[in-house]
Amino acid sequence: MSDGLVSIATKTGDAGTTGLMYNRRVPKSHPRVEAYGAVDELNAAMGAARAAGAGAFVANHLLTIQQDLIVLMGELATTDDDLPRYVRDGYKVVTAELTGRLDGLVREIESQQITFDGWALPGASAASAALDVARTTCRRAERRVCALRETGKL
């Protein structure tokens, strides 16, 4: 491309591999790529929920969680061998403080004694449907991160 712009089509993955942090190449189907890709999808779904008008309380918390997901994606895109370098380079990693904030938010929401009967039927509003997409995408991301952990590489 000209004018100093960067192309979103790098062509570096045409052979079926993709780049991790620090120029490590792995197959596009690698469990690490599956994990951070699913978290990226979750981040996008949460953004869609915010854009759909999820309400101030929810939108503010979603934005904070999205920022935390970026931390998680960076860590997931870094091999165990490169993680010390990643931290030395100033990148954030998931900490007990980060997960504690999420646990606190869950407790805050649950303290409102919300009741739930049966399965959710998405579509009551654009915002609630977008939140249901984010909820189910989160479950997929969790499965992908667990699968990566099962490989012994996390």
Side-chain angles (χ1 to χ4, degrees), residues 43-109:
N43 195 4
M46 289 182 151
R50 279 190 316 111
F57 173 83
V58 173
N60 288 336
H61 286 294
L62 287 177
L63 180 59
T64 300
I65 294 168
Q66 285 180 273
Q67 293 163 341
D68 292 341
L69 290 177
I70 291 169
V71 171
L72 175 59
M73 285 187 288
E75 186 173 344
L76 288 171
T78 305
T79 65
D80 294 344
D81 292 341
D82 288 329
L83 201 54
R85 177 180 175 189
Y86 183 80
V87 172
R88 276 193 315 272
D89 286 348
Y91 293 105
K92 294 180 182 178
V93 294
V94 175
T95 62
E97 178 185 342
L98 185 151
T99 58
R101 279 196 320 266
L102 288 173
D103 288 340
L105 177 58
V106 168
R107 282 190 302 278
E108 180 182 348
I109 292 169

Side-chain angles (χ1 to χ4, degrees), residues 30-32 80 144-154:
H30 191 281
R32 184 171 297 283
D80 294 344
R144 298 298 186 265
V145 171
C146 287
L148 175 61
R149 179 181 292 147
E150 289 168 7
T151 69
K153 304 258 185 214
L154 179 62

Side-chain angles (χ1 to χ4, degrees), residues 10-22:
T10 64
K11 301 280 192 183
T12 60
D14 288 354
T17 64
T18 192
L20 301 177
M21 291 292 292
Y22 303 108

Side-chain angles (χ1 to χ4, degrees), residues 88-147:
R88 276 193 315 272
D89 286 348
Y91 293 105
K92 294 180 182 178
V93 294
V94 175
T95 62
E97 178 185 342
L98 185 151
T99 58
R101 279 196 320 266
L102 288 173
D103 288 340
L105 177 58
V106 168
R107 282 190 302 278
E108 180 182 348
I109 292 169
E110 288 176 344
S111 74
Q112 297 172 23
Q113 299 179 351
I114 298 170
T115 59
F116 179 71
D117 294 324
W119 289 94
L121 184 59
S125 69
S128 71
L131 286 167
D132 278 314
V133 170
R135 174 184 55 80
T136 59
T137 305
C138 184
R139 288 181 173 175
R140 179 176 54 246
E142 180 182 25
R143 291 189 304 269
R144 298 298 186 265
V145 171
C146 287

